[in-house]
C-alpha cells in the first residue's frame, strides 16, 4: 500500500511539473492583439496601424484578432503612456516624436521605456518655394539666409521641434547658418496650412513632408528645391537630394512599431518573423506607393541601434535650435 501511494504521488508530481512547464511556455500570442494608434483616426499613425492590421490578417500571417485602438493626445504621449502599462499583446505605432517629446521636456518617457520591434516606413522632407521665387536652388536659398536670416520667412507646422523643423535646422547647420537665427512661422494646422501659406506668398519657403507638396510641384504651382532622401524620387526626377546639392545629410521622417517594456526574446522573434514577411508582400508595396511612403524596414535589433543613433542626432539638433529642456 505504501509503495502504491509513493508511485501515485510521483505520477502526480510529474504531471504537475509538465503542466507548469507547458503553461509557462504557452504559445504567443494567446489572445487578441491591440494595436495602439496614438492619434485620432485619419492621420499617418492611424493609417499605419490599420494598414499593418489589414495586411497581417488578409495574408493570414497572424491568426489572432488584431484590433486598432485610437488614443489621441499630447503628440503621441497619451497612447504611449497607455502602452507602457500593458503586456506584450499590446503594440503601438511610433515616430521621432517619441524622442523629441522627451528632449523638449514634454514627456518623461524615452525610447528606452519600450521594446523596439520594427521601423517600417519613411516620408522624406522637402524644402519648397513659390513658383516665381528668385531662389532657383536650395543653395541660393541658404546663401540668402546666411546673408540676412530674417529676410527669409520659413513656414512649418504644427510646432517647433518636429521633423520638418529639425531637418531644416540640420540643413542650415551644414551651410554654416546658426539655427537660432532662422526665421520660422509656425502654422498650427500642419502641412495643409503651411502649403496654403506658401501658395499665398505669406512665407518665402516651407519645410514639410514631400507628400504635402509633390502634387503642387507636378502641377507647377510651387517648386521643390530639394528633398532629404538618399536618392531622387522617381516621380519627380527633376528634384535633387540635399546630398546632391552639397548638403551632406539624409533625414528620414520614419514610423515604426514598438511594444511595452520587458517583452521576451520569443515574443520579439515572433514579430520579427511576422513583420518581416509582411513587408515583402505585394499589398505592402502597393500601400507604400499609394501613400508616397518609402520602404524603411528594419528588424528589432536594427531598430534598437537606429533609435540610439536618432536620439543622439535629435538631441544635438534640439540643443542647437535652443529648444532643449
Amino acid at each position: 500500500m505504501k509503495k502504491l501511494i509513493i508511485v501515485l504521488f510521483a505520477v502526480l508530481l510529474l504531471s504537475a511539473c509538465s503542466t507548469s512547464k507547458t503553461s509557462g511556455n504557452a504559445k504567443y500570442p494567446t489572445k487578441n492583439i491591440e494595436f495602439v494608434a496614438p492619434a485620432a483616426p485619419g492621420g499617418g499613425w492611424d493609417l499605419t496601424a490599420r494598414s499593418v492590421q489589414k495586411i497581417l490578417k488578409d495574408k493570414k500571417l497572424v491568426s489572432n484578432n488584431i484590433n486598432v485602438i485610437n488614443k489621441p493626445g499630447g503628440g503621441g504621449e497619451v497612447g504611449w503612456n497607455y502602452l507602457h502599462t500593458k503586456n506584450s499583446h499590446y503594440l503601438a505605432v511610433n515616430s521621432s516624436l517619441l524622442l523629441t517629446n522627451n528632449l523638449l521636456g514634454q514627456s518623461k518617457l524615452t525610447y528606452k521605456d519600450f521594446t523596439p520591434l520594427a521601423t517600417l516606413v519613411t516620408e522624406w522632407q522637402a524644402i519648397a518655394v513659390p513658383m516665381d521665387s528668385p531662389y532657383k536652388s536650395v543653395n541660393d536659398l541658404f546663401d540668402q539666409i546666411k546673408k540676412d536670416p530674417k529676410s527669409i520667412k520659413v513656414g512649418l507646422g504644427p510646432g517647433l521641434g518636429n521633423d520638418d523643423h529639425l531637418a531644416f535646422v540640420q540643413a542650415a547647420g551644414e551651410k554654416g547658418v546658426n539655427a537660432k537665427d532662422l526665421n520660422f512661422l509656425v502654422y498650427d494646422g500642419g502641412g495643409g496650412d503651411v502649403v496654403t501659406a506658401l501658395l499665398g506668398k505669406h512665407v518665402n519657403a516651407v519645410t514639410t513632408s514631400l507628400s504635402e507638396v509633390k502634387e503642387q510641384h507636378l502641377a507647377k504651382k510651387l517648386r521643390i528645391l530639394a528633398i532629404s532622401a538618399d536618392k531622387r524620387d522617381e516621380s519627380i526626377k527633376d528634384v535633387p537630394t540635399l546630398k546632391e546639392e552639397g548638403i551632406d545629410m539624409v533625414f528620414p521622417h520614419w514610423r515604426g512599431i514598438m511594444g511595452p517594456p520587458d517583452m521576451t526574446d520569443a515574443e520579439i522573434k515572433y514579430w520579427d518573423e511576422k513583420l518581416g514577411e509582411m513587408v515583402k508582400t505585394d499589398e505592402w508595396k502597393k500601400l507604400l506607393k499609394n501613400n508616397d511612403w518609402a520602404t524603411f524596414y528594419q528588424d528589432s535589433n536594427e531598430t534598437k541601434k537606429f533609435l540610439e543613433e536618432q536620439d543622439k542626432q535629435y538631441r544635438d539638433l534640439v540643443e542647437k535650435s535652443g529648444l532643449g529642456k
Side-chain angles (χ1 to χ4, degrees):
M1 185 69 178
K2 189 180 290 185
K3 287 183 179 179
L4 180 60
I5 292 173
I6 292 172
V7 170
L8 287 172
F9 179 77
V11 170
L12 289 171
L13 184 62
L14 286 170
S15 176
C17 288
S18 175
T19 301
S20 175
K21 184 176 180 181
T22 302
S23 61
N25 291 286
K27 189 176 180 181
Y28 171 85
T30 58
K31 52 187 178 181
N32 292 350
I33 301 296
E34 302 291 337
F35 211 150
V36 181
W45 282 333
D46 180 68
L47 178 59
T48 303
R50 293 184 188 281
S51 299
V52 172
Q53 173 205 39
K54 185 175 189 306
I55 296 173
L56 288 176
K57 292 305 296 179
D58 287 354
K59 302 303 291 184
K60 296 181 170 57
L61 295 173
V62 175
S63 57
N64 301 66
N65 286 333
I66 304 174
N67 302 311
V68 173
I69 49 177
N70 294 90
K71 294 284 182 181
E77 182 73 0
V78 172
W80 295 330
N81 266 297
Y82 174 79
L83 175 68
H84 191 253
T85 66
K86 298 298 182 179
N87 61 41
S88 59
H89 288 82
Y90 291 77
L91 309 177
V93 180
N94 63 11
S95 73
S96 62
L97 284 181
L98 179 67
L99 311 177
T100 54
N101 283 356
N102 176 262
L103 296 173
L104 295 170
Q106 298 168 0
S107 172
K108 293 181 179 179
L109 294 172
T110 75
Y111 70 97
K112 296 178 182 178
D113 292 310
F114 300 94
T115 302
L117 295 177
T119 316
L120 291 179
V121 299
T122 184
E123 289 188 76
W124 298 110
Q125 302 298 134
I127 298 173
V129 295
M131 199 63 201
D132 60 354
S133 170
Y135 311 111
K136 306 303 181 185
S137 74
V138 73
N139 284 307
D140 289 344
L141 179 67
F142 278 118
D143 286 346
Q144 176 59 32
I145 292 175
K146 195 169 184 177
K147 187 187 302 182
D148 183 4
K150 298 305 178 186
S151 68
I152 300 295
K153 296 176 184 176
V154 182
L156 66 84
L160 296 176
N162 67 0
D163 283 322
D164 300 345
H165 174 225
L166 296 181
F168 200 89
V169 165
Q170 184 176 355
E174 293 287 335
K175 294 296 292 183
V177 177
N178 189 324
K180 296 178 184 178
D181 292 335
L182 294 168
N183 184 15
F184 289 111
L185 268 66
V186 180
Y187 292 85
D188 293 338
D193 287 354
V194 169
V195 173
T196 298
L198 183 67
L199 294 173
K201 299 184 180 178
H202 302 298
V203 293
N204 304 101
V206 298
T207 172
T208 189
S209 296
L210 174 58
S211 60
E212 296 284 357
V213 288
K214 182 193 276 190
E215 293 305 317
Q216 289 86 345
H217 174 86
L218 291 170
K220 300 188 182 303
K221 294 181 179 179
L222 54 76
R223 185 166 67 253
I224 301 174
L225 298 181
I227 59 174
S228 68
D230 54 350
K231 59 183 180 181
R232 294 198 183 200
D233 186 295
E234 288 294 317
S235 61
I236 45 171
K237 290 184 178 180
D238 59 317
V239 178
T241 66
L242 289 168
K243 285 181 77 73
E244 288 178 298
E245 294 292 276
I247 300 174
D248 189 17
M249 60 177 279
V250 172
F251 199 105
H253 175 37
W254 51 269
R255 294 191 193 100
I257 295 177
M258 64 186 182
D262 302 323
M263 288 180 69
T264 67
D265 289 344
E267 291 165 347
I268 295 170
K269 182 180 178 182
Y270 175 88
W271 288 111
D272 272 340
E273 292 174 354
K274 300 304 180 183
L275 296 172
E277 290 180 56
M278 181 195 74
V279 298
K280 295 175 184 176
T281 64
D282 290 338
E283 288 80 357
W284 182 254
K285 294 170 185 175
K286 183 178 179 181
L287 174 78
L288 298 182
K289 184 176 181 181
N290 290 344
N291 289 287
D292 279 325
W293 294 348
T295 184
F296 205 60
Y297 177 68
Q298 299 175 93
D299 67 17
S300 59
N301 279 327
E302 293 166 328
T303 297
K304 184 178 180 180
K305 294 174 185 175
F306 175 69
L307 289 174
E308 290 170 357
E309 294 166 358
Q310 287 281 284
D311 189 62
K312 290 176 184 176
Q313 178 182 343
Y314 278 97
R315 189 177 300 276
D316 179 59
L317 292 173
V318 166
E319 288 175 1
K320 285 180 179 177
S321 65
L323 296 175
K325 59 184 177 181

